[in-house]
Amino acid sequence: MSTRFPRPGADPFTERTPRVAAARALTRRAGREKAGRFLAEGAQAVREALAYGTVHEVFATEAGAARNTEILQRADELRLPISLVTDKAASGLSETITPQGILAVCDLLDTPVADALSGDPALVAVLVGVADPGNAGTVTRVADAAGANAVLFAGDTVDPHNGKCVRASTGSVFHLPLARSRDTADVFARCRAAGLRLVAADGHAEVDLDDSIDTGALRAPTAWVFGSEAHGLPEEILSAVDDVVKVPLYGAAESLNLGTAAAVCLYASARAQRH
């Protein structure tokens, strides 16, 4: 690693250092949207940000730097500023109880909905009214793993750049297009224009996933629509899609959490489309 890090003879940045204070504003949605940047925390997120995103600066505590020399070496090769920070400063930049000691300041990942749906997409995840960032990040990770072409955040849905969402995605936010729009009807219209069939996942549906697999319906290009784990999808959304499907429960479990249900649905489509 070059002598640019650690900075020779320099004390770690504190929570009062202007660059740290500017980065701390990115823990809030308004601050992220004003700056056009967000924070990626943790080794995996920073590693993927360096590989696939646009990074402006890396912060690390002394312990975090010692644990992640390879990541900092890569940041140094990219000629990025690498700043040592105190544990207290890192805590102010983190949204976790136990900060991981390494963060990157990155450009927002927003893509216009039309661009996210370009190129004849075969599989897309649409989140409608999902408020929990951990759930949103998990669905993004699942969509990435299943080979989806994009994840769309529609209506009053959590910011995909929220720290918890980014961590839950384990870096997948950097791997596929993310688009958000408060106009759910427009998102649905654009999905249909891209040749996608809108299928909502709902535990009370009359049709179950096995039926959709058996009839071959999932072989078609599909946009899976997922709602809040607590409240599901409202009736106006269910009436606006092309089909409503439930994941069958063969045991005594009352329901599945959002991440698990999304994994079952997205992988069912991925398998059907590949066979």
Side-chain angles (χ1 to χ4, degrees):
M1 186 176 298
S2 78
T3 56
R4 293 195 307 119
F5 180 79
R7 293 168 295 121
D11 292 328
F13 287 166
T14 72
E15 67 277 10
R16 291 183 294 274
T17 303
R19 275 158 60 185
V20 174
R24 190 166 59 248
L26 304 181
T27 61
R28 300 184 298 276
R29 185 168 189 161
R32 292 191 291 270
E33 293 182 352
K34 180 179 180 180
R37 298 179 180 182
F38 74 106
L39 294 175
E41 182 187 4
Q44 180 64 16
V46 175
R47 186 181 294 112
E48 299 308 297
L50 292 171
Y52 298 100
T54 300
V55 178
H56 294 273
E57 183 168 11
V58 175
F59 295 104
T61 62
E62 196 169 314
R67 287 193 301 267
N68 298 289
T69 55
E70 183 179 333
I71 293 175
L72 295 183
Q73 176 66 52
R74 179 56 183 154
D76 192 58
E77 291 169 356
L78 294 171
R79 310 297 294 174
L80 295 171
I82 303 170
S83 302
L84 195 66
V85 296
T86 64
D87 289 342
K88 186 175 181 180
S91 180
L93 297 175
S94 174
E95 296 178 57
T96 62
I97 296 174
T98 307
Q100 298 189 41
I102 186 166
L103 306 98
V105 177
C106 312
D107 275 351
L108 293 182
L109 299 168
D110 287 318
T111 300
V113 175
D115 291 351
L117 294 173
S118 64
D120 299 320
L123 184 59
V124 169
V126 184
L127 300 180
V128 178
V130 176
D132 184 88
N135 283 337
T138 299
V139 175
T140 300
R141 180 181 183 182
V142 167
D144 181 22
N149 301 99
V151 179
L152 311 181
F153 291 68
D156 190 17
T157 294
V158 68
D159 179 8
H161 305 96
N162 175 286
K164 188 175 181 181
C165 183
V166 175
R167 286 192 305 278
S169 81
T170 63
S172 286
V173 291
F174 295 102
H175 295 166
L176 73 174
L178 304 180
R180 48 180 171 162
S181 170
R182 291 193 174 276
D183 189 342
T184 303
D186 181 67
V187 170
F188 284 3
R190 290 181 183 276
C191 284
R192 288 196 174 98
L196 294 161
R197 183 168 171 266
L198 288 160
V199 180
D202 181 79
H204 303 291
E206 294 182 5
V207 176
D208 72 28
L209 193 61
D210 288 344
D211 297 328
S212 295
I213 293 170
D214 292 343
T215 62
L218 294 186
R219 295 174 191 162
T222 299
W224 276 101
V225 181
F226 302 108
S228 160
E229 184 169 313
H231 307 292
L233 290 164
E235 186 57 41
E236 61 266 26
I237 297 297
L238 295 176
S239 63
V241 300
D242 301 308
D243 205 355
V244 183
V245 174
K246 66 181 177 183
V247 177
L249 301 175
Y250 303 120
E254 184 270 334
S255 64
L256 295 175
N257 64 33
L258 175 57
T260 303
V264 173
C265 295
L266 289 166
Y267 267 92
S269 280
R271 185 177 187 280
Q273 291 174 2
R274 283 163 173 74
H275 290 79

